[in-house]
Amino acid sequence: VEIGESVRGEDVYIIQSGCGEINDNLMELLIMINACKIASSSRVTAVIPCFPYARQDKKDKSRAPISAKLVANMLSVAGADHIITMDLHASQIQGFFDIPVDNLYAEPAVLQWIKENIMEWRNCIIVSPDAGGAKRVTSIADRLNVEFALIHKERKKANEVDRMVLVGDVKDRVAILVDDMADTCGTICHAADKLVSAGATKVYAILTHGIFSGPAISRINNAAFEAVVVTNTIPQEEKMKHCPKIQVIDISMILAEAIRRTHNGESVSYLFSHVPL
């Protein structure tokens, strides 16, 4: 890595999302942070829209790593002074750092998308495909003044869902599945079938990070979705070519405003409830 510009005394922002060749990208980010740090920059902020290894945030079986903590340590050791990220898989990851972390939310952009694109949004129901996302859906449901439902799932092993139970009434309503991340899409496609069989008129899915690995695209094409809406924390151009159901919410404005506010020492909390114009 070679920085082709003088960074002495500057406020540096390095943008790198945890996607694609994730380990290469993470390593590149660490090397860039370090390169800026030892070139006397005054402050280095890592802007990481999709935090790598965020799902490994607790020790759920013996001898399992807590990789999110390891990534946090690596970023700190490399010399990052500040982290800006979006919709962390678990908000306690912020506590893995001893440096400030701004965890931005896609929620204001999601609310805006729902109001602009779903005609019958006043008669919708917000559904979480797992119990972990309950807080996220209740927050959105409150702000839209609609009801919410939960799906309880049991996993036999990672990435495979065993059975699902729907809690809540979706009959004759537009169901909007909300989650922070979709990888192989097994959960949300199962959930969509469950909602349709429970009498939902239409099913949308809104996800912050669309990883879409393995069979995800073919599963979405075969599932009962009207649309699968993701943000561009991970680039989606290639995926959209293969799947007409995928739509993208652009969050570059939110990150840009967060960077501007951080640089000028303004409050970032405005972005938790508003979309920058």
Side-chain angles (χ1 to χ4, degrees):
V1 162
E2 197 176 308
I3 312 289
E5 192 86 30
S6 168
V7 294
R8 184 176 295 273
E10 298 283 357
D11 191 4
V12 180
Y13 293 83
I14 301 175
I15 301 175
Q16 178 78 286
S17 204
C19 59
E21 292 294 330
I22 180 164
N23 296 329
D24 292 0
N25 289 351
L26 177 59
M27 205 63 215
E28 183 180 68
L29 173 64
L30 296 170
I31 294 171
M32 283 179 75
I33 291 170
N34 192 249
C36 290
K37 201 69 195 165
I38 60 177
S40 312
S41 59
S42 72
R43 180 170 68 158
V44 180
T45 301
V47 182
I48 314 174
C50 182
F51 194 81
Y53 293 95
R55 281 185 289 184
Q56 216 145 30
D57 57 0
K58 56 182 179 292
K59 205 170 154 182
D60 44 9
K61 51 183 183 288
S62 57
R63 296 181 297 283
I66 306 181
S67 315
K69 170 69 172 154
L70 176 63
V71 172
N73 288 346
M74 285 158 68
L75 287 163
S76 300
V77 168
D81 297 298
H82 183 198
I83 306 287
I84 296 176
T85 182
M86 189 161 219
D87 270 8
L88 278 174
H89 188 64
S91 48
Q92 69 264 21
I93 292 173
Q94 294 173 79
F96 292 175
F97 289 92
D98 292 329
I99 54 177
V101 179
D102 283 320
N103 181 26
L104 303 172
Y105 297 105
E107 187 181 290
V110 166
L111 292 167
Q112 188 181 359
W113 190 90
I114 291 173
K115 288 176 180 171
E116 286 173 4
N117 294 279
I118 300 178
M119 296 292 290
E120 54 278 75
W121 65 268
R122 285 181 177 81
N123 186 37
C124 73
I125 184 161
I126 313 291
V127 188
S128 173
D130 57 19
K135 201 169 156 198
R136 194 177 291 108
V137 294
T138 48
S139 168
I140 291 176
D142 285 349
R143 290 176 67 178
L144 288 173
N145 198 18
V146 295
E147 289 181 31
F148 71 95
L150 291 176
I151 289 175
H152 170 66
K153 67 178 179 191
E154 292 173 0
R155 286 181 192 263
K156 281 281 193 289
K157 56 176 185 278
N159 283 8
E160 283 184 32
V161 178
D162 189 34
R163 68 188 192 96
M164 297 189 132
V165 185
L166 174 67
V167 184
D169 179 25
V170 298
K171 194 165 171 55
D172 302 326
R173 292 195 184 161
V174 175
I176 304 174
L177 278 164
V178 176
D179 206 357
D180 67 323
M181 192 177 278
D183 185 359
T184 55
C185 292
T187 306
I188 61 163
C189 291
H190 262 119
D193 296 340
K194 191 87 191 164
L195 292 168
V196 169
S197 62
T201 53
K202 288 180 183 171
V203 181
Y204 291 87
I206 303 184
L207 316 154
T208 308
H209 308 296
I211 300 168
F212 301 143
S213 63
I217 297 295
S218 61
R219 279 176 176 170
I220 291 174
N221 283 328
N222 297 329
F225 294 114
E226 294 290 313
V228 174
V229 184
V230 291
T231 68
N232 54 356
T233 52
I234 294 173
Q236 300 294 348
E237 289 77 15
E238 278 304 306
K239 308 283 193 317
M240 289 167 78
K241 286 178 193 163
H242 302 291
C243 180
K245 289 182 185 175
I246 295 178
Q247 296 184 28
V248 170
I249 297 174
D250 182 24
I251 51 104
S252 57
M253 281 302 297
I254 298 175
L255 290 173
E257 182 64 7
I259 290 172
R260 191 193 68 74
R261 283 171 176 264
T262 307
H263 179 64
N264 295 328
E266 297 171 27
S267 164
V268 177
S269 55
Y270 173 83
L271 296 174
F272 297 162
S273 51
H274 299 84
V275 179
L277 298 168

